[in-house]
Amino acid sequence: MAESDPNVGAGNPAGAGGRCEAISWQELLAQDSRPAPAMLTEESYEYRGSEPLAAERYTSEAFAKLERERMWPYVWQFAAREEDIPEPGDFTVFENAGRSWLISRQDDGSVKAMHNVCLHRGRKLRTEDGAADRFVCPFHGFAWNKDGSFAGMPCSWDFKHLSADKMNLPEAEVGRWGGYIFLREERGGPSLEDYLAPLPEFFKRWRHEECATVIWVAKEVPANWKVTAEAFMEAWHTVVTHPQLLPFTGDANSAYWIYGDNVNVNHVPFGIMSPHVDPAGKTQQWIVDEFCKYNGRSADNYDPSGDPFAVTVPDGMTARAALGAAMRAGYTAQTGYDHDHATDAELLDGLVYNVFPNFAPWGGFMPNIVYRWRPGQTPDTCLMEVRILARVKQGEPMPHGVPMKLLTPEQKWTDAPELGVLGHVFEQDMDNLPYVQEGLHASKTGQVNLGDYQEIRIRQFHQTLDKYLNGTLGKTA
């Protein structure tokens, strides 16, 4: 294993976001094989203070109740992908923060989101995804059409007090972008496009609407949904938690940028050695060889041919440039789309965007990871989901997305072989998260301290959450 020094950059000044002394993200992009777009080079950092967070934000049921009442109903929630429900009548069950929804494709191609609760005695209408023109309650037979309009009931003579126009299923507001389907429980507030900004403009280049879900794995995690999400908002835990990635991951070189209240990004460069690795005796070929062994997004996880893009680095070329060239040609062959304009960064790097509160799509042209975290029955658990999107080959029809594989609590992420080496990386994270949750409960100070730069995304996240809880955003208390 590569030797590492966790104190690289420790001499930088505190406050306002000190930076690692190694090559910066912008300097790295200036060396890219292709001109990088402004969205990848224009810094968007803002110092947001250095105050600690209260540990009870992660442990308190009272705090979770405030989230359910003041935040979740007023935010756009990623509910489904278009390929999950491709045909009229297809529906998927989406549940989050105490609500259950039917996301249903209509005859005209539109999508509706309706409460998945019978208005008679409260039974859930559906517990699994499927296709149906009518939703009939399995308890007493009350029925609704796929658009949520009331279709009838047995023994209607006993319900003269219930008029059909008042028996339609309550609906949520629906928004669609980039192949993603969102809902907002309470109508009003910013449009989906405004809420996501600047994501729609940035992702025009990467066209997630041309992608389909090829892998989807979920598992309950014994930690708060925020604890779990925040583990994927910074790269610098790599030095201790994921040391096998250091030979090809610029963990401390990463850029951390925020946009308004809702959007942030961590640009993590691959194909370069971490500043924590002693470079003595290490070659550019060594970087590539380590990348092909441990990078969870290499093509061997997604391409049926099994080609891992093994690369020989020519003299005078960097590992990043060699990997970029191979992937540029490989993705063009796989997808039928010309990737000649794609930067090395867009083909290699972890361009990890987050949208408040729990939606995290990766940018770039390669198979894209999409995270989602949903709160559990108590503040001490959550459901973590990992989707992998791959571009549908040009000219081929959009396939139906794969169903979600739900691992049992006893299973490990490595029990989902389709994740490849990503499963091992997630298991390394799981070695931390339950003990983070336990530690927050046991904390003597009751405080959590954040870095000014590398954890700015976490601070922005909590400041936005506070705006919902205090009524600045959403519904005024």
Side-chain angles (χ1 to χ4, degrees), residues 23-47:
I23 185 172
S24 72
W25 170 258
Q26 286 95 333
E27 290 169 335
L28 194 62
L29 267 288
Q31 301 174 7
D32 203 289
S33 302
R34 301 290 189 275
M39 63 185 177
L40 294 182
T41 60
E42 292 182 356
E43 180 165 326
S44 186
Y45 172 81
E46 174 190 354
Y47 175 61

mmCIF file with all atom_site columns, all heavy atoms in Angstrom, residues 23-47:
data_model
loop_
_atom_site.group_PDB
_atom_site.id
_atom_site.type_symbol
_atom_site.label_atom_id
_atom_site.label_alt_id
_atom_site.label_comp_id
_atom_site.label_asym_id
_atom_site.label_entity_id
_atom_site.label_seq_id
_atom_site.pdbx_PDB_ins_code
_atom_site.Cartn_x
_atom_site.Cartn_y
_atom_site.Cartn_z
_atom_site.occupancy
_atom_site.B_iso_or_equiv
_atom_site.pdbx_formal_charge
_atom_site.auth_seq_id
_atom_site.auth_comp_id
_atom_site.auth_asym_id
_atom_site.auth_atom_id
_atom_site.pdbx_PDB_model_num
ATOM 1   N N   . ILE A 1 23 ? -1.073  20.712 -6.456  1.00 0.00 ? 23 ILE A N   1
ATOM 2   C CA  . ILE A 1 23 ? -1.678  21.303 -7.640  1.00 0.00 ? 23 ILE A CA  1
ATOM 3   C C   . ILE A 1 23 ? -3.189  21.452 -7.436  1.00 0.00 ? 23 ILE A C   1
ATOM 4   O O   . ILE A 1 23 ? -3.844  20.551 -6.918  1.00 0.00 ? 23 ILE A O   1
ATOM 5   C CB  . ILE A 1 23 ? -1.370  20.459 -8.897  1.00 0.00 ? 23 ILE A CB  1
ATOM 6   C CG1 . ILE A 1 23 ? -1.899  21.159 -10.160 1.00 0.00 ? 23 ILE A CG1 1
ATOM 7   C CG2 . ILE A 1 23 ? -1.913  19.049 -8.764  1.00 0.00 ? 23 ILE A CG2 1
ATOM 8   C CD1 . ILE A 1 23 ? -1.440  20.470 -11.446 1.00 0.00 ? 23 ILE A CD1 1
ATOM 9   N N   . SER A 1 24 ? -3.732  22.582 -7.813  1.00 0.00 ? 24 SER A N   1
ATOM 10  C CA  . SER A 1 24 ? -5.151  22.840 -7.606  1.00 0.00 ? 24 SER A CA  1
ATOM 11  C C   . SER A 1 24 ? -5.976  22.229 -8.733  1.00 0.00 ? 24 SER A C   1
ATOM 12  O O   . SER A 1 24 ? -5.457  21.867 -9.797  1.00 0.00 ? 24 SER A O   1
ATOM 13  C CB  . SER A 1 24 ? -5.414  24.344 -7.550  1.00 0.00 ? 24 SER A CB  1
ATOM 14  O OG  . SER A 1 24 ? -5.270  24.926 -8.846  1.00 0.00 ? 24 SER A OG  1
ATOM 15  N N   . TRP A 1 25 ? -7.282  22.161 -8.487  1.00 0.00 ? 25 TRP A N   1
ATOM 16  C CA  . TRP A 1 25 ? -8.204  21.669 -9.509  1.00 0.00 ? 25 TRP A CA  1
ATOM 17  C C   . TRP A 1 25 ? -8.108  22.516 -10.781 1.00 0.00 ? 25 TRP A C   1
ATOM 18  O O   . TRP A 1 25 ? -8.027  21.976 -11.890 1.00 0.00 ? 25 TRP A O   1
ATOM 19  C CB  . TRP A 1 25 ? -9.626  21.679 -8.953  1.00 0.00 ? 25 TRP A CB  1
ATOM 20  C CG  . TRP A 1 25 ? -10.699 21.428 -9.974  1.00 0.00 ? 25 TRP A CG  1
ATOM 21  C CD1 . TRP A 1 25 ? -11.512 22.361 -10.563 1.00 0.00 ? 25 TRP A CD1 1
ATOM 22  C CD2 . TRP A 1 25 ? -11.064 20.171 -10.547 1.00 0.00 ? 25 TRP A CD2 1
ATOM 23  N NE1 . TRP A 1 25 ? -12.368 21.760 -11.449 1.00 0.00 ? 25 TRP A NE1 1
ATOM 24  C CE2 . TRP A 1 25 ? -12.112 20.418 -11.465 1.00 0.00 ? 25 TRP A CE2 1
ATOM 25  C CE3 . TRP A 1 25 ? -10.617 18.873 -10.375 1.00 0.00 ? 25 TRP A CE3 1
ATOM 26  C CZ2 . TRP A 1 25 ? -12.721 19.406 -12.201 1.00 0.00 ? 25 TRP A CZ2 1
ATOM 27  C CZ3 . TRP A 1 25 ? -11.223 17.854 -11.122 1.00 0.00 ? 25 TRP A CZ3 1
ATOM 28  C CH2 . TRP A 1 25 ? -12.254 18.129 -12.016 1.00 0.00 ? 25 TRP A CH2 1
ATOM 29  N N   . GLN A 1 26 ? -8.090  23.831 -10.654 1.00 0.00 ? 26 GLN A N   1
ATOM 30  C CA  . GLN A 1 26 ? -8.020  24.681 -11.837 1.00 0.00 ? 26 GLN A CA  1
ATOM 31  C C   . GLN A 1 26 ? -6.702  24.505 -12.582 1.00 0.00 ? 26 GLN A C   1
ATOM 32  O O   . GLN A 1 26 ? -6.686  24.486 -13.824 1.00 0.00 ? 26 GLN A O   1
ATOM 33  C CB  . GLN A 1 26 ? -8.214  26.162 -11.456 1.00 0.00 ? 26 GLN A CB  1
ATOM 34  C CG  . GLN A 1 26 ? -9.647  26.519 -11.117 1.00 0.00 ? 26 GLN A CG  1
ATOM 35  C CD  . GLN A 1 26 ? -9.898  26.448 -9.629  1.00 0.00 ? 26 GLN A CD  1
ATOM 36  O OE1 . GLN A 1 26 ? -9.217  25.701 -8.914  1.00 0.00 ? 26 GLN A OE1 1
ATOM 37  N NE2 . GLN A 1 26 ? -10.864 27.217 -9.144  1.00 0.00 ? 26 GLN A NE2 1
ATOM 38  N N   . GLU A 1 27 ? -5.611  24.360 -11.846 1.00 0.00 ? 27 GLU A N   1
ATOM 39  C CA  . GLU A 1 27 ? -4.325  24.128 -12.508 1.00 0.00 ? 27 GLU A CA  1
ATOM 40  C C   . GLU A 1 27 ? -4.328  22.798 -13.244 1.00 0.00 ? 27 GLU A C   1
ATOM 41  O O   . GLU A 1 27 ? -3.753  22.665 -14.335 1.00 0.00 ? 27 GLU A O   1
ATOM 42  C CB  . GLU A 1 27 ? -3.211  24.166 -11.470 1.00 0.00 ? 27 GLU A CB  1
ATOM 43  C CG  . GLU A 1 27 ? -2.960  25.549 -10.897 1.00 0.00 ? 27 GLU A CG  1
ATOM 44  C CD  . GLU A 1 27 ? -2.043  25.526 -9.692  1.00 0.00 ? 27 GLU A CD  1
ATOM 45  O OE1 . GLU A 1 27 ? -1.974  24.478 -9.001  1.00 0.00 ? 27 GLU A OE1 1
ATOM 46  O OE2 . GLU A 1 27 ? -1.408  26.557 -9.425  1.00 0.00 ? 27 GLU A OE2 1
ATOM 47  N N   . LEU A 1 28 ? -4.963  21.805 -12.659 1.00 0.00 ? 28 LEU A N   1
ATOM 48  C CA  . LEU A 1 28 ? -5.058  20.507 -13.311 1.00 0.00 ? 28 LEU A CA  1
ATOM 49  C C   . LEU A 1 28 ? -5.893  20.600 -14.583 1.00 0.00 ? 28 LEU A C   1
ATOM 50  O O   . LEU A 1 28 ? -5.541  20.025 -15.626 1.00 0.00 ? 28 LEU A O   1
ATOM 51  C CB  . LEU A 1 28 ? -5.675  19.496 -12.343 1.00 0.00 ? 28 LEU A CB  1
ATOM 52  C CG  . LEU A 1 28 ? -5.575  18.021 -12.701 1.00 0.00 ? 28 LEU A CG  1
ATOM 53  C CD1 . LEU A 1 28 ? -4.128  17.579 -12.779 1.00 0.00 ? 28 LEU A CD1 1
ATOM 54  C CD2 . LEU A 1 28 ? -6.325  17.181 -11.679 1.00 0.00 ? 28 LEU A CD2 1
ATOM 55  N N   . LEU A 1 29 ? -7.017  21.338 -14.524 1.00 0.00 ? 29 LEU A N   1
ATOM 56  C CA  . LEU A 1 29 ? -7.866  21.504 -15.702 1.00 0.00 ? 29 LEU A CA  1
ATOM 57  C C   . LEU A 1 29 ? -7.149  22.261 -16.807 1.00 0.00 ? 29 LEU A C   1
ATOM 58  O O   . LEU A 1 29 ? -7.416  22.049 -17.997 1.00 0.00 ? 29 LEU A O   1
ATOM 59  C CB  . LEU A 1 29 ? -9.164  22.214 -15.324 1.00 0.00 ? 29 LEU A CB  1
ATOM 60  C CG  . LEU A 1 29 ? -10.368 21.322 -14.961 1.00 0.00 ? 29 LEU A CG  1
ATOM 61  C CD1 . LEU A 1 29 ? -10.946 20.641 -16.179 1.00 0.00 ? 29 LEU A CD1 1
ATOM 62  C CD2 . LEU A 1 29 ? -9.998  20.282 -13.918 1.00 0.00 ? 29 LEU A CD2 1
ATOM 63  N N   . ALA A 1 30 ? -6.235  23.149 -16.442 1.00 0.00 ? 30 ALA A N   1
ATOM 64  C CA  . ALA A 1 30 ? -5.470  23.886 -17.447 1.00 0.00 ? 30 ALA A CA  1
ATOM 65  C C   . ALA A 1 30 ? -4.555  22.963 -18.239 1.00 0.00 ? 30 ALA A C   1
ATOM 66  O O   . ALA A 1 30 ? -4.144  23.297 -19.366 1.00 0.00 ? 30 ALA A O   1
ATOM 67  C CB  . ALA A 1 30 ? -4.655  24.989 -16.782 1.00 0.00 ? 30 ALA A CB  1
ATOM 68  N N   . GLN A 1 31 ? -4.240  21.790 -17.687 1.00 0.00 ? 31 GLN A N   1
ATOM 69  C CA  . GLN A 1 31 ? -3.403  20.810 -18.384 1.00 0.00 ? 31 GLN A CA  1
ATOM 70  C C   . GLN A 1 31 ? -4.219  19.773 -19.145 1.00 0.00 ? 31 GLN A C   1
ATOM 71  O O   . GLN A 1 31 ? -3.657  18.854 -19.737 1.00 0.00 ? 31 GLN A O   1
ATOM 72  C CB  . GLN A 1 31 ? -2.513  20.092 -17.360 1.00 0.00 ? 31 GLN A CB  1
ATOM 73  C CG  . GLN A 1 31 ? -1.602  20.993 -16.557 1.00 0.00 ? 31 GLN A CG  1
ATOM 74  C CD  . GLN A 1 31 ? -0.851  20.246 -15.466 1.00 0.00 ? 31 GLN A CD  1
ATOM 75  O OE1 . GLN A 1 31 ? -0.901  19.010 -15.379 1.00 0.00 ? 31 GLN A OE1 1
ATOM 76  N NE2 . GLN A 1 31 ? -0.125  20.986 -14.622 1.00 0.00 ? 31 GLN A NE2 1
ATOM 77  N N   . ASP A 1 32 ? -5.543  19.899 -19.125 1.00 0.00 ? 32 ASP A N   1
ATOM 78  C CA  . ASP A 1 32 ? -6.414  18.891 -19.724 1.00 0.00 ? 32 ASP A CA  1
ATOM 79  C C   . ASP A 1 32 ? -6.185  18.788 -21.229 1.00 0.00 ? 32 ASP A C   1
ATOM 80  O O   . ASP A 1 32 ? -5.773  19.752 -21.887 1.00 0.00 ? 32 ASP A O   1
ATOM 81  C CB  . ASP A 1 32 ? -7.883  19.238 -19.439 1.00 0.00 ? 32 ASP A CB  1
ATOM 82  C CG  . ASP A 1 32 ? -8.791  18.030 -19.504 1.00 0.00 ? 32 ASP A CG  1
ATOM 83  O OD1 . ASP A 1 32 ? -9.027  17.520 -20.625 1.00 0.00 ? 32 ASP A OD1 1
ATOM 84  O OD2 . ASP A 1 32 ? -9.268  17.592 -18.449 1.00 0.00 ? 32 ASP A OD2 1
ATOM 85  N N   . SER A 1 33 ? -6.477  17.611 -21.777 1.00 0.00 ? 33 SER A N   1
ATOM 86  C CA  . SER A 1 33 ? -6.297  17.385 -23.209 1.00 0.00 ? 33 SER A CA  1
ATOM 87  C C   . SER A 1 33 ? -7.284  18.154 -24.069 1.00 0.00 ? 33 SER A C   1
ATOM 88  O O   . SER A 1 33 ? -7.085  18.278 -25.283 1.00 0.00 ? 33 SER A O   1
ATOM 89  C CB  . SER A 1 33 ? -6.437  15.883 -23.513 1.00 0.00 ? 33 SER A CB  1
ATOM 90  O OG  . SER A 1 33 ? -5.502  15.131 -22.781 1.00 0.00 ? 33 SER A OG  1
ATOM 91  N N   . ARG A 1 34 ? -8.366  18.628 -23.459 1.00 0.00 ? 34 ARG A N   1
ATOM 92  C CA  . ARG A 1 34 ? -9.387  19.391 -24.178 1.00 0.00 ? 34 ARG A CA  1
ATOM 93  C C   . ARG A 1 34 ? -9.718  20.634 -23.353 1.00 0.00 ? 34 ARG A C   1
ATOM 94  O O   . ARG A 1 34 ? -9.617  20.612 -22.124 1.00 0.00 ? 34 ARG A O   1
ATOM 95  C CB  . ARG A 1 34 ? -10.666 18.564 -24.382 1.00 0.00 ? 34 ARG A CB  1
ATOM 96  C CG  . ARG A 1 34 ? -10.488 17.267 -25.158 1.00 0.00 ? 34 ARG A CG  1
ATOM 97  C CD  . ARG A 1 34 ? -10.196 17.530 -26.630 1.00 0.00 ? 34 ARG A CD  1
ATOM 98  N NE  . ARG A 1 34 ? -10.224 16.312 -27.421 1.00 0.00 ? 34 ARG A NE  1
ATOM 99  C CZ  . ARG A 1 34 ? -9.191  15.483 -27.573 1.00 0.00 ? 34 ARG A CZ  1
ATOM 100 N NH1 . ARG A 1 34 ? -8.035  15.747 -26.951 1.00 0.00 ? 34 ARG A NH1 1
ATOM 101 N NH2 . ARG A 1 34 ? -9.299  14.407 -28.328 1.00 0.00 ? 34 ARG A NH2 1
ATOM 102 N N   . PRO A 1 35 ? -10.162 21.703 -24.006 1.00 0.00 ? 35 PRO A N   1
ATOM 103 C CA  . PRO A 1 35 ? -10.565 22.894 -23.242 1.00 0.00 ? 35 PRO A CA  1
ATOM 104 C C   . PRO A 1 35 ? -11.744 22.564 -22.334 1.00 0.00 ? 35 PRO A C   1
ATOM 105 O O   . PRO A 1 35 ? -12.733 21.970 -22.764 1.00 0.00 ? 35 PRO A O   1
ATOM 106 C CB  . PRO A 1 35 ? -10.962 23.903 -24.335 1.00 0.00 ? 35 PRO A CB  1
ATOM 107 C CG  . PRO A 1 35 ? -10.305 23.406 -25.581 1.00 0.00 ? 35 PRO A CG  1
ATOM 108 C CD  . PRO A 1 35 ? -10.253 21.916 -25.462 1.00 0.00 ? 35 PRO A CD  1
ATOM 109 N N   . ALA A 1 36 ? -11.625 22.940 -21.078 1.00 0.00 ? 36 ALA A N   1
ATOM 110 C CA  . ALA A 1 36 ? -12.671 22.629 -20.109 1.00 0.00 ? 36 ALA A CA  1
ATOM 111 C C   . ALA A 1 36 ? -13.730 23.721 -20.103 1.00 0.00 ? 36 ALA A C   1
ATOM 112 O O   . ALA A 1 36 ? -13.408 24.913 -20.201 1.00 0.00 ? 36 ALA A O   1
ATOM 113 C CB  . ALA A 1 36 ? -12.069 22.491 -18.712 1.00 0.00 ? 36 ALA A CB  1
ATOM 114 N N   . PRO A 1 37 ? -15.015 23.355 -19.994 1.00 0.00 ? 37 PRO A N   1
ATOM 115 C CA  . PRO A 1 37 ? -16.075 24.369 -19.914 1.00 0.00 ? 37 PRO A CA  1
ATOM 116 C C   . PRO A 1 37 ? -15.981 25.161 -18.622 1.00 0.00 ? 37 PRO A C   1
ATOM 117 O O   . PRO A 1 37 ? -15.438 24.682 -17.614 1.00 0.00 ? 37 PRO A O   1
ATOM 118 C CB  . PRO A 1 37 ? -17.357 23.537 -19.983 1.00 0.00 ? 37 PRO A CB  1
ATOM 119 C CG  . PRO A 1 37 ? -16.966 22.192 -19.467 1.00 0.00 ? 37 PRO A CG  1
ATOM 120 C CD  . PRO A 1 37 ? -15.550 21.985 -19.903 1.00 0.00 ? 37 PRO A CD  1
ATOM 121 N N   . ALA A 1 38 ? -16.558 26.366 -18.643 1.00 0.00 ? 38 ALA A N   1
ATOM 122 C CA  . ALA A 1 38 ? -16.462 27.267 -17.500 1.00 0.00 ? 38 ALA A CA  1
ATOM 123 C C   . ALA A 1 38 ? -17.042 26.656 -16.235 1.00 0.00 ? 38 ALA A C   1
ATOM 124 O O   . ALA A 1 38 ? -16.558 26.924 -15.131 1.00 0.00 ? 38 ALA A O   1
ATOM 125 C CB  . ALA A 1 38 ? -17.160 28.587 -17.826 1.00 0.00 ? 38 ALA A CB  1
ATOM 126 N N   . MET A 1 39 ? -18.074 25.816 -16.374 1.00 0.00 ? 39 MET A N   1
ATOM 127 C CA  . MET A 1 39 ? -18.703 25.245 -15.168 1.00 0.00 ? 39 MET A CA  1
ATOM 128 C C   . MET A 1 39 ? -17.735 24.374 -14.384 1.00 0.00 ? 39 MET A C   1
ATOM 129 O O   . MET A 1 39 ? -17.946 24.109 -13.201 1.00 0.00 ? 39 MET A O   1
ATOM 130 C CB  . MET A 1 39 ? -19.931 24.415 -15.561 1.00 0.00 ? 39 MET A CB  1
ATOM 131 C CG  . MET A 1 39 ? -19.625 23.220 -16.427 1.00 0.00 ? 39 MET A CG  1
ATOM 132 S SD  . MET A 1 39 ? -21.133 22.388 -16.947 1.00 0.00 ? 39 MET A SD  1
ATOM 133 C CE  . MET A 1 39 ? -20.470 21.104 -18.003 1.00 0.00 ? 39 MET A CE  1
ATOM 134 N N   . LEU A 1 40 ? -16.648 23.914 -15.047 1.00 0.00 ? 40 LEU A N   1
ATOM 135 C CA  . LEU A 1 40 ? -15.655 23.102 -14.359 1.00 0.00 ? 40 LEU A CA  1
ATOM 136 C C   . LEU A 1 40 ? -14.468 23.918 -13.870 1.00 0.00 ? 40 LEU A C   1
ATOM 137 O O   . LEU A 1 40 ? -13.655 23.411 -13.087 1.00 0.00 ? 40 LEU A O   1
ATOM 138 C CB  . LEU A 1 40 ? -15.146 21.989 -15.278 1.00 0.00 ? 40 LEU A CB  1
ATOM 139 C CG  . LEU A 1 40 ? -16.152 20.909 -15.681 1.00 0.00 ? 40 LEU A CG  1
ATOM 140 C CD1 . LEU A 1 40 ? -15.484 19.856 -16.552 1.00 0.00 ? 40 LEU A CD1 1
ATOM 141 C CD2 . LEU A 1 40 ? -16.790 20.260 -14.463 1.00 0.00 ? 40 LEU A CD2 1
ATOM 142 N N   . THR A 1 41 ? -14.333 25.154 -14.325 1.00 0.00 ? 41 THR A N   1
ATOM 143 C CA  . THR A 1 41 ? -13.145 25.935 -13.983 1.00 0.00 ? 41 THR A CA  1
ATOM 144 C C   . THR A 1 41 ? -13.439 27.165 -13.136 1.00 0.00 ? 41 THR A C   1
ATOM 145 O O   . THR A 1 41 ? -12.539 27.669 -12.461 1.00 0.00 ? 41 THR A O   1
ATOM 146 C CB  . THR A 1 41 ? -12.419 26.391 -15.263 1.00 0.00 ? 41 THR A CB  1
ATOM 147 O OG1 . THR A 1 41 ? -13.304 27.207 -16.039 1.00 0.00 ? 41 THR A OG1 1
ATOM 148 C CG2 . THR A 1 41 ? -11.974 25.194 -16.088 1.00 0.00 ? 41 THR A CG2 1
ATOM 149 N N   . GLU A 1 42 ? -14.670 27.659 -13.164 1.00 0.00 ? 42 GLU A N   1
ATOM 150 C CA  . GLU A 1 42 ? -14.991 28.883 -12.431 1.00 0.00 ? 42 GLU A CA  1
ATOM 151 C C   . GLU A 1 42 ? -15.341 28.545 -10.985 1.00 0.00 ? 42 GLU A C   1
ATOM 152 O O   . GLU A 1 42 ? -16.370 27.918 -10.707 1.00 0.00 ? 42 GLU A O   1
ATOM 153 C CB  . GLU A 1 42 ? -16.148 29.615 -13.107 1.00 0.00 ? 42 GLU A CB  1
ATOM 154 C CG  . GLU A 1 42 ? -15.779 30.181 -14.472 1.00 0.00 ? 42 GLU A CG  1
ATOM 155 C CD  . GLU A 1 42 ? -16.916 30.939 -15.117 1.00 0.00 ? 42 GLU A CD  1
ATOM 156 O OE1 . GLU A 1 42 ? -18.037 30.970 -14.541 1.00 0.00 ? 42 GLU A OE1 1
ATOM 157 O OE2 . GLU A 1 42 ? -16.704 31.504 -16.205 1.00 0.00 ? 42 GLU A OE2 1
ATOM 158 N N   . GLU A 1 43 ? -14.495 28.973 -10.067 1.00 0.00 ? 43 GLU A N   1
ATOM 159 C CA  . GLU A 1 43 ? -14.695 28.666 -8.662  1.00 0.00 ? 43 GLU A CA  1
ATOM 160 C C   . GLU A 1 43 ? -15.967 29.309 -8.130  1.00 0.00 ? 43 GLU A C   1
ATOM 161 O O   . GLU A 1 43 ? -16.305 30.440 -8.484  1.00 0.00 ? 43 GLU A O   1
ATOM 162 C CB  . GLU A 1 43 ? -13.495 29.133 -7.846  1.00 0.00 ? 43 GLU A CB  1
ATOM 163 C CG  . GLU A 1 43 ? -13.632 28.849 -6.365  1.00 0.00 ? 43 GLU A CG  1
ATOM 164 C CD  . GLU A 1 43 ? -12.324 28.959 -5.608  1.00 0.00 ? 43 GLU A CD  1
ATOM 165 O OE1 . GLU A 1 43 ? -11.273 28.621 -6.192  1.00 0.00 ? 43 GLU A OE1 1
ATOM 166 O OE2 . GLU A 1 43 ? -12.363 29.367 -4.435  1.00 0.00 ? 43 GLU A OE2 1
ATOM 167 N N   . SER A 1 44 ? -16.666 28.584 -7.253  1.00 0.00 ? 44 SER A N   1
ATOM 168 C CA  . SER A 1 44 ? -17.877 29.094 -6.640  1.00 0.00 ? 44 SER A CA  1
ATOM 169 C C   . SER A 1 44 ? -17.868 28.746 -5.149  1.00 0.00 ? 44 SER A C   1
ATOM 170 O O   . SER A 1 44 ? -18.768 28.092 -4.648  1.00 0.00 ? 44 SER A O   1
ATOM 171 C CB  . SER A 1 44 ? -19.123 28.515 -7.323  1.00 0.00 ? 44 SER A CB  1
ATOM 172 O OG  . SER A 1 44 ? -20.294 29.115 -6.821  1.00 0.00 ? 44 SER A OG  1
ATOM 173 N N   . TYR A 1 45 ? -16.805 29.200 -4.494  1.00 0.00 ? 45 TYR A N   1
ATOM 174 C CA  . TYR A 1 45 ? -16.669 28.974 -3.044  1.00 0.00 ? 45 TYR A CA  1
ATOM 175 C C   . TYR A 1 45 ? -17.049 30.237 -2.296  1.00 0.00 ? 45 TYR A C   1
ATOM 176 O O   . TYR A 1 45 ? -16.776 31.349 -2.734  1.00 0.00 ? 45 TYR A O   1
ATOM 177 C CB  . TYR A 1 45 ? -15.243 28.571 -2.689  1.00 0.00 ? 45 TYR A CB  1
ATOM 178 C CG  . TYR A 1 45 ? -15.011 28.516 -1.189  1.00 0.00 ? 45 TYR A CG  1
ATOM 179 C CD1 . TYR A 1 45 ? -15.405 27.415 -0.452  1.00 0.00 ? 45 TYR A CD1 1
ATOM 180 C CD2 . TYR A 1 45 ? -14.418 29.594 -0.522  1.00 0.00 ? 45 TYR A CD2 1
ATOM 181 C CE1 . TYR A 1 45 ? -15.222 27.369 0.934   1.00 0.00 ? 45 TYR A CE1 1
ATOM 182 C CE2 . TYR A 1 45 ? -14.229 29.562 0.852   1.00 0.00 ? 45 TYR A CE2 1
ATOM 183 C CZ  . TYR A 1 45 ? -14.630 28.454 1.574   1.00 0.00 ? 45 TYR A CZ  1
ATOM 184 O OH  . TYR A 1 45 ? -14.457 28.416 2.932   1.00 0.00 ? 45 TYR A OH  1
ATOM 185 N N   . GLU A 1 46 ? -17.669 30.064 -1.137  1.00 0.00 ? 46 GLU A N   1
ATOM 186 C CA  . GLU A 1 46 ? -18.021 31.178 -0.265  1.00 0.00 ? 46 GLU A CA  1
ATOM 187 C C   . GLU A 1 46 ? -17.824 30.738 1.181   1.00 0.00 ? 46 GLU A C   1
ATOM 188 O O   . GLU A 1 46 ? -18.359 29.715 1.602   1.00 0.00 ? 46 GLU A O   1
ATOM 189 C CB  . GLU A 1 46 ? -19.484 31.583 -0.485  1.00 0.00 ? 46 GLU A CB  1
ATOM 190 C CG  . GLU A 1 46 ? -19.994 32.642 0.474   1.00 0.00 ? 46 GLU A CG  1
ATOM 191 C CD  . GLU A 1 46 ? -21.507 32.826 0.383   1.00 0.00 ? 46 GLU A CD  1
ATOM 192 O OE1 . GLU A 1 46 ? -22.135 32.206 -0.498  1.00 0.00 ? 46 GLU A OE1 1
ATOM 193 O OE2 . GLU A 1 46 ? -22.040 33.588 1.213   1.00 0.00 ? 46 GLU A OE2 1
ATOM 194 N N   . TYR A 1 47 ? -17.052 31.491 1.921   1.00 0.00 ? 47 TYR A N   1
ATOM 195 C CA  . TYR A 1 47 ? -16.865 31.186 3.335   1.00 0.00 ? 47 TYR A CA  1
ATOM 196 C C   . TYR A 1 47 ? -18.193 31.388 4.049   1.00 0.00 ? 47 TYR A C   1
ATOM 197 O O   . TYR A 1 47 ? -18.828 32.425 3.951   1.00 0.00 ? 47 TYR A O   1
ATOM 198 C CB  . TYR A 1 47 ? -15.796 32.088 3.924   1.00 0.00 ? 47 TYR A CB  1
ATOM 199 C CG  . TYR A 1 47 ? -15.603 31.931 5.418   1.00 0.00 ? 47 TYR A CG  1
ATOM 200 C CD1 . TYR A 1 47 ? -15.212 30.704 5.959   1.00 0.00 ? 47 TYR A CD1 1
ATOM 201 C CD2 . TYR A 1 47 ? -15.807 33.000 6.279   1.00 0.00 ? 47 TYR A CD2 1
ATOM 202 C CE1 . TYR A 1 47 ? -15.033 30.543 7.326   1.00 0.00 ? 47 TYR A CE1 1
ATOM 203 C CE2 . TYR A 1 47 ? -15.625 32.863 7.648   1.00 0.00 ? 47 TYR A CE2 1
ATOM 204 C CZ  . TYR A 1 47 ? -15.241 31.638 8.171   1.00 0.00 ? 47 TYR A CZ  1
ATOM 205 O OH  . TYR A 1 47 ? -15.070 31.491 9.528   1.00 0.00 ? 47 TYR A OH  1
#
